[in-house]
Amino acid sequence: MTCTEDHREHVVTDQAFLAGQRTQQGVYHALCGHLVAPRALTAPPGQRCPHCLARASHAETLAAVDLRAKLRGGAEVHNYRHVRSRRGPLARVL
């Protein structure tokens, strides 16, 4: 969702979108913490927010680890999260 304030395309989760709809204020919380006032959805997207992308990438990685742990029945999720939290978010860009 591209913001009218900073002209960047931010990642807004479905939950954040629904929460924004309930408040009826026309603003939504992005993954990076920015409060997004969306441009017209027909407008071209802006430059991607690097903070949103890093957080989205990190969340996808954790979800993949959770799935692998469930399939294996192991406890590697706790260890992975503990190590990653000390290193910071992943740098991979979508």
Side-chain angles (χ1 to χ4, degrees), residues 14-57:
D14 291 340
Q15 291 174 336
F17 181 77
L18 292 174
Q21 289 287 314
R22 282 192 295 269
T23 64
Q24 297 181 353
Q25 295 180 8
V27 292
Y28 307 91
H29 288 278
L31 281 181
C32 68
H34 184 77
L35 196 58
V36 178
R39 289 172 55 178
L41 297 179
T42 57
Q47 182 180 5
R48 292 181 176 178
C49 171
H51 304 292
C52 282
L53 289 176
R55 290 180 188 269
S57 176

Side-chain angles (χ1 to χ4, degrees), residues 8 15-16 80-82 91:
R8 289 186 184 251
Q15 291 174 336
Y80 179 82
R81 286 187 174 165
H82 179 69

Side-chain angles (χ1 to χ4, degrees), residues 4 11 26 30 35 39 45 54 63 65 68 71-72 76 86 93-94:
T4 58
V11 177
L35 196 58
R39 289 172 55 178
V65 170
R68 280 198 308 270
L71 293 175
R72 289 185 190 149
E76 66 185 62
R86 290 185 298 186
V93 177
L94 299 176

